[in-house]
């Protein structure tokens, strides 16, 4: 029997979306509604273009913790090591119940997820989810112009279509979102109009079955581990299918895209023991899988997963 | 062949002796000399110190003079936010704040930090004439994004002409910077344009082809070599990037190397990349780094491949990780070791070696690549072979080649990380270096002494006297007790008289004097059957 005491880890949400989509508005709303009950922390890019830094959040007049980062609009893998150090220090000082990272429109959400596996912060936080805010007005043509918009949509758990009051029809947007992400929940909203129920359903979704009216900090949470695996190899279809079924039995969730050949990608999702696997023609990047489970150890999970790759990365093999 | 010559030959597709290695040391140079990124990137003196340290530690074939994509933007009026751990970030975009494009001037050699960076290049050229020096220039699209902000994506749709005009200007800036670097003595100009990964090939052709081609034409006409650096998910653009006429394409971990090789082969150009920055170089172990570097080299499988990270090294990348890659690149023997280890796709089931070595003999294990084909392994095995006879049968040695699965299992079970390694009774004793004879003898003797000491600590045995009851046993007992008394020791003396007992012990005639020795071989755990067999053999 495992005698370790359960580690209380803080859920970490990525809030992605292109410039002006309404990320700060959503965070403002969350702070306004929940800061009485939870210690909410926000990581925000101080100098992201168009943002009024933390000012807008502060104007809510409610307590929350703010960590400002200053990596400009380019937040790529090479700039992340500093982020780990600062996040570590921030966690120790702020001791939040939940963290939201407001990512810039060009941030790669998978790289951000990867760095949370750093030993420095792994014992304190876990990647609980990725929410993508979509601006209904500018969705077309921007979605076709900018890769990262499509990428952020494709890996989101929850997609909010915002500013729906400013457009006449929403169906084409939903259709395009579904082409990019088969499994995410899609909500249409103007944040001012979001019902309490809608917001709460998603806000609390991660702590499966934790009563809404009980402060999170008082509830014993499991030692959740999250793992992000990225690879540009092709994978063996049979082996990954077996693996997904096996792993689903002891994970909370697993989702992502697995490249089988240049023309074939599998979109996968497991929620507890329910497994969904389907062929997916529209994923533009390589294999990207995010898993969330009790006591999940990223190094072990990714090693196991990567052992399912085909012998060569095999552009040759498949062409 | 090494350094500049190796790099140039690789890029040109001429004969080379090995894969060139270019660790992109940017602010990491500051880390190597204990300074912050902001101070480092604003001082020629510090950059020269940091780069010199990198040359000493990493023995690279090439290095970038300065990895900072904000130099041109700063000279053009973008405000920077400085950080102690990262290159600075552009935080204002003049063209989005009302500045007109036509008022912007191509930066001169004395603007912003340009003179400081060129001074660094000149000094590095003087100090390391054999080193391949990369001059890094910001690509036209990334520079345009710095000047205009993310509005650029919308404007590409709304005002394509305006964007083309902007890109013509930024490409001129890029070429001008390339010229400054070439005048300062750089060999290769790398045009770094990571933001092109955000757009598709159609947009690339429409907006980027012309300006990028103009930069590469300029470099070619100047008689220098060029590289097109991109990072992020840019697989869709490799083909159109290659069509702009660079001599090399360099990519990050998001793009499969063999895909890039095939495209580059078609355009007869060289390619480089794509060591993983975060998961391997920053967070991995030395072994992870070597294995991953080897995977890159073998996946690339081309004489026109340059091994490099996907981007600027994170500031606090552990230097020992980068040094491990240097060892791998320069040492064919390290490559063989990594290759042999890499062949095992599945992790071996570890042996339980808790009780290993718990026998009277001393076991010397030599973990090798293969002593027949690997010189250091051969010398190590020879060393043990020569020493073993000194101990007259007490020392038993075995070679475990990691070319066999058994060898890998054994290596993993003993947590051996380097090859060759000598373990004495399961304990790692000599790693990689061949021990001098005396040292090896001393180490084995030390182990023998330890065993002797532990033997003194074991529970004493007892004495069993077997026979018919009566005088003969009484006499034997008397003599035994006398002997014990004279030795000043105490042991239990037991008498057994039953026929069955005698038969069980195989006593042919009586009286018989039997010594019984107790030795605790394991406590509080279940030893494996294999280990129990070893103990049994010890009794036979």
């Amino acid at each position: 029997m495992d005698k370790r005491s359960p580690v209380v880890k803080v859920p970490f949400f990525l809030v992605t979306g292109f410039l002006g989509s309404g990320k700060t508005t959503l965070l403002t709303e969350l702070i306004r509604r929940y800061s009485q009950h939870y210690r909410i922390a926000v990581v925000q890019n101080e100098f992201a273009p168009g943002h009024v830094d933390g000012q807008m959040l502060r104007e809510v007049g409610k307590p929350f913790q703010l960590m400002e980062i200053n990596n400009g609009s380019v937040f790529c893998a090479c700039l992340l090591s500093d982020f780990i150090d600062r996040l570590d220090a921030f966690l120790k000082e702020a001791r939040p119940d939940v963290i939201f990272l407001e990512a810039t429109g060009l941030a790669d959400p998978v790289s951000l997820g990867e760095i949370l596996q750093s030993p420095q912060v792994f014992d304190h936080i876990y990647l609980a989810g990725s929410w993508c805010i979509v601006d209904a007005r500018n969705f077309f043509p921007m979605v076709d112009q900018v890769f990262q918009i499509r990428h952020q949509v494709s890996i989101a758990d929850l997609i909010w279509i915002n500013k729906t009051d400013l457009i006449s029809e929403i169906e084409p947007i939903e259709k395009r979102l579904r082409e990019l992400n088969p499994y995410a929940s899609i909500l249409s909203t103007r944040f001012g109009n979001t019902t309490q129920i809608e917001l709460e359903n998603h806000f609390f979704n991660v702590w499966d079955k934790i009563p809404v009216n009980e402060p999170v900090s008082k509830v014993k949470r499991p030692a959740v581990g999250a793992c992000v695996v990225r690879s540009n190899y092709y994978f063996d279809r049979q082996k990954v299918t077996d693996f997904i079924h096996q792993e689903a039995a002891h994970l909370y969730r697993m989702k992502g895209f697995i490249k089988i050949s240049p023309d074939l990608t599998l979109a996968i999702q497991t929620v507890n023991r329910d497994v969904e696997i389907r062929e997916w023609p529209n994923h533009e990047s390589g294999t990207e899988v995010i898993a969330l489970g009790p006591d999940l150890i990223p190094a072990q999970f990714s090693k196991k997963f990567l052992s399912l790759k085909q012998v060569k990365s095999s552009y040759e093999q498949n062409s | 062949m090494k350094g500049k010559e190796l790099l140039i030959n690789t890029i040109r597709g001429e004969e080379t002796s090995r894969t060139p290695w270019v660790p992109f040391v940017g602010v990491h140079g500051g880390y190597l000399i204990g300074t912050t990124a902001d101070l480092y990137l604003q001082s020629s003196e510090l950059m020269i110190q940091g780069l010199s340290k990198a040359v000493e530690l990493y023995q690279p074939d090439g290095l970038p003079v300065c990895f900072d994509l904000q130099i041109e933007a700063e000279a053009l009026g973008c405000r920077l936010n400085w950080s102690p751990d990262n290159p600075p970030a552009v935080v204002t975009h003049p063209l989005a704040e009302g500045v007109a494009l036509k008022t912007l001037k191509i930066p001169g050699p004395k603007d912003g930090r340009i003179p400081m960076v060129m001074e660094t290049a000149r000094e590095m050229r003087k100090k390391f004439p054999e080193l391949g020096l990369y001059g890094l220039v910001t690509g036209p699209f990334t520079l345009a994004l710095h000047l205009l902000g993310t509005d650029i994506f919308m404007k590409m749709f709304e005002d394509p002409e305006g964007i083309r005009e902007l890109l013509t200007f930024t490409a001129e800036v890029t070429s001008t910077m390339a010229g400054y670097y070439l005048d300062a003595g750089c060999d290769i100009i790398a045009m770094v344009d990571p933001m092109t990964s955000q757009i598709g090939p159609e947009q690339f052709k429409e907006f980027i082809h012309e300006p990028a081609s103009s930069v590469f034409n300029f470099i070619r006409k100047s008689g220098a070599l060029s590289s097109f650096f991109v990072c992020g998910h840019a697989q869709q653009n490799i083909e159109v990037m290659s069509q702009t006429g660079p001599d090399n394409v360099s990519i990050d971990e998001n793009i499969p190397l063999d895909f890039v090789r095939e495209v580059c082969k078609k355009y007869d150009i060289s390619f480089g990349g794509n060591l993983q920055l975060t998961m391997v170089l920053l967070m991995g172990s030395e072994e992870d780094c070597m294995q991953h570097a080897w995977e890159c080299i073998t996946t690339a499988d081309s004489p026109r491949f340059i091994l490099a990270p996907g981007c600027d090294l994170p500031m606090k990348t552990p230097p020992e990780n980068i040094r491990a890659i240097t060892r791998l690149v320069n040492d064919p023997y390290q490559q063989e070791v990594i290759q042999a280890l890499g062949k095992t796709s599945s992790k071996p089931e570890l042996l339980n070696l808790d009780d290993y070595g718990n026998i009277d003999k001393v076991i010397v294990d030599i973990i090798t690549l293969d002593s027949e084909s690997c010189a250091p392994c051969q010398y190590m095995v020879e060393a043990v072979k020569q020493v073993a006879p000194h101990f007259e049968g007490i020392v038993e040695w075995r070679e475990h080649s990691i070319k066999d699965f058994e060898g890998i299992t054994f290596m993993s079970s003993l947590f051996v990380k380097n090859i060759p390694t000598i373990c004495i009774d399961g304990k790692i004793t000599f790693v990689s270096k061949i021990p001098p004879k005396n040292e090896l003898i001393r180490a084995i003797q030390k182990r023998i002494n330890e065993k002797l000491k532990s033997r003194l600590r074991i529970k004493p045995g007892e004495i069993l006297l077997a026979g018919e009851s009566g005088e003969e046993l009484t006499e034997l007992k008397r003599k035994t007790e006398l002997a014990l008394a004279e030795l000043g020791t105490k042991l239990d003396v037991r008498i057994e008289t039953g026929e069955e007992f005698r038969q069980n012990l195989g006593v042919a005639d009586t009286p018989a004097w039997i010594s019984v020795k107790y030795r605790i071989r394991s406590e509080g755990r279940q030893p494996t059957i294999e280990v129990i067999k070893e103990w049994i053999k010890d009794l036979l």
Side-chain angles (χ1 to χ4, degrees), chain A residues 250-263:
Chain A
H250 43 90
L251 288 176
Y252 296 139
R253 278 199 316 235
M254 172 164 44
K255 58 164 189 169
F257 298 90
I258 302 171
K259 282 261 177 201
I260 303 299
S261 72
D263 308 318

Side-chain angles (χ1 to χ4, degrees), chain B residues 226-238:
Chain B
S226 62
S227 175
F228 197 150
F229 275 27
V230 70
C231 59
H233 300 265
Q235 187 164 352
Q236 73 283 4
N237 288 338
I238 299 298

Side-chain angles (χ1 to χ4, degrees), chain B residues 80-238:
Chain B
L80 302 188
N81 183 56
W82 288 91
S83 152
D85 307 283
N86 278 319
V90 164
V91 295
T92 60
H93 311 284
L95 299 182
E97 290 165 0
V99 175
L101 175 61
K102 60 178 186 249
T103 64
L104 295 180
K105 300 267 179 300
I106 306 283
K110 292 188 175 161
D111 289 342
R113 283 179 292 143
I114 296 171
M116 183 271 302
V117 173
M118 297 310 151
E119 170 67 13
T120 309
R122 278 190 293 274
E123 283 303 310
M124 285 299 291
R125 178 75 300 156
K126 260 193 259 169
K127 208 170 165 187
F128 302 103
E130 302 303 322
L131 180 72
L133 267 190
Y134 279 71
L136 259 60
V137 292
T138 312
F141 192 60
T142 302
L143 183 55
L145 187 88
H146 281 330
L147 293 174
L148 182 59
T150 38
D151 288 354
I152 195 168
F153 294 107
M154 195 48 129
K155 290 240 163 95
M156 284 166 89
F157 187 71
E158 291 170 347
D159 178 19
E161 265 320 304
I163 295 300
R164 265 193 280 275
E165 201 184 326
L166 170 59
L167 288 165
T168 306
F169 171 76
T170 51
E172 261 184 77
V173 176
T174 307
S175 294
T176 306
M177 274 298 277
Y180 296 154
Y181 271 118
L182 291 174
D183 290 345
C186 286
D187 308 294
I188 299 155
I189 299 298
M191 186 181 91
V192 192
D193 214 348
M195 284 301 116
T196 58
S197 65
Q198 296 303 318
I199 57 176
E202 288 311 313
Q203 282 172 305
F204 188 101
K205 278 194 266 185
E206 190 185 340
F207 290 100
I208 313 296
H209 180 84
E210 278 295 321
S213 303
S214 75
V215 175
F216 294 125
N217 271 335
F218 169 81
I219 298 167
R220 192 172 308 103
K221 277 187 192 152
S222 308
L225 293 170
S226 62
S227 175
F228 197 150
F229 275 27
V230 70
C231 59
H233 300 265
Q235 187 164 352
Q236 73 283 4
N237 288 338
I238 299 298

Side-chain angles (χ1 to χ4, degrees), chain B residues 334-347:
Chain B
Q334 280 290 359
Q335 294 168 8
E336 266 194 76
V337 170
I338 289 297
Q339 200 173 357
L341 288 175
K343 273 186 189 152
T344 44
S345 54
S346 57
K347 210 176 157 72

Side-chain angles (χ1 to χ4, degrees), chain A residues 27-244:
Chain A
L27 291 173
T28 309
E29 194 58 24
L30 286 171
I31 291 168
R32 199 176 60 73
R33 293 188 189 185
Y34 300 108
S35 63
Q36 303 298 328
H37 307 291
Y38 310 107
R39 286 170 70 87
I40 294 178
V42 173
V43 180
Q44 201 181 39
N45 192 339
E46 188 183 358
F47 294 101
H51 285 242
V52 197
D53 47 63
Q55 196 52 36
M56 192 166 157
L57 295 177
R58 287 192 191 96
E59 278 170 7
V60 182
K62 304 273 185 184
F64 73 100
Q65 320 286 322
L66 179 68
M67 170 181 159
E68 285 181 319
I69 48 176
N70 50 18
N71 285 321
S73 54
V74 184
F75 196 178
C76 70
C78 33
L79 300 177
L80 296 175
S81 63
D82 161 47
F83 175 66
I84 301 168
D85 287 347
R86 295 206 40 210
L87 182 63
D88 184 30
F90 176 71
L91 283 169
K92 283 174 186 146
E93 201 191 309
R95 308 180 68 80
D97 294 322
V98 57
I99 305 181
F100 296 95
L101 183 142
E102 182 180 339
T104 65
L106 295 176
D108 179 348
V110 180
S111 294
L112 286 169
E114 263 188 349
I115 58 160
L116 301 185
Q117 286 160 231
S118 159
Q120 224 174 321
V121 293
F122 181 77
D123 288 341
H124 311 299
I125 49 175
Y126 68 95
L127 179 62
S130 174
W131 298 353
C132 184
I133 322 295
V134 165
D135 179 349
R137 271 179 322 173
N138 295 328
F139 184 67
F140 296 112
M142 293 305 276
V143 67
D144 298 312
Q145 297 272 100
V146 186
F147 166 77
Q148 208 55 258
I149 295 182
R150 301 190 293 277
H151 192 216
Q152 292 182 347
V153 165
S154 74
I155 75 122
D157 311 294
L158 170 64
I159 302 167
W160 306 76
I161 311 173
N162 191 19
K163 306 182 189 175
T164 48
D165 49 330
L166 303 176
I167 54 157
S168 51
E169 44 168 8
I170 195 170
E171 289 73 25
I173 297 179
E174 284 176 340
K175 184 168 173 278
R176 184 77 175 101
L177 291 173
R178 270 288 164 248
E179 282 169 16
L180 295 168
N181 187 330
Y183 301 121
S185 312
I186 298 178
L187 288 182
S188 308
T189 179
R190 283 185 297 142
F191 287 126
N193 281 352
T194 317
T195 66
Q196 186 90 3
I197 300 295
E198 271 179 324
L199 205 53
E200 283 179 356
N201 273 348
H202 291 281
F203 186 39
F204 295 104
N205 190 27
V206 274
W207 298 302
D208 297 330
K209 301 170 193 79
I210 292 176
V212 168
N213 55 3
E214 194 161 353
V216 175
S217 52
K218 289 185 187 157
V219 178
K220 195 170 110 183
R221 284 186 232 130
V224 184
C227 176
V228 177
V229 189
R230 217 157 37 122
S231 171
N232 53 38
Y233 281 86
Y234 296 115
F235 286 79
D236 183 293
R237 186 172 186 165
Q238 184 61 53
K239 284 186 190 166
V240 290
T241 306
D242 294 345
F243 174 83
I244 292 163

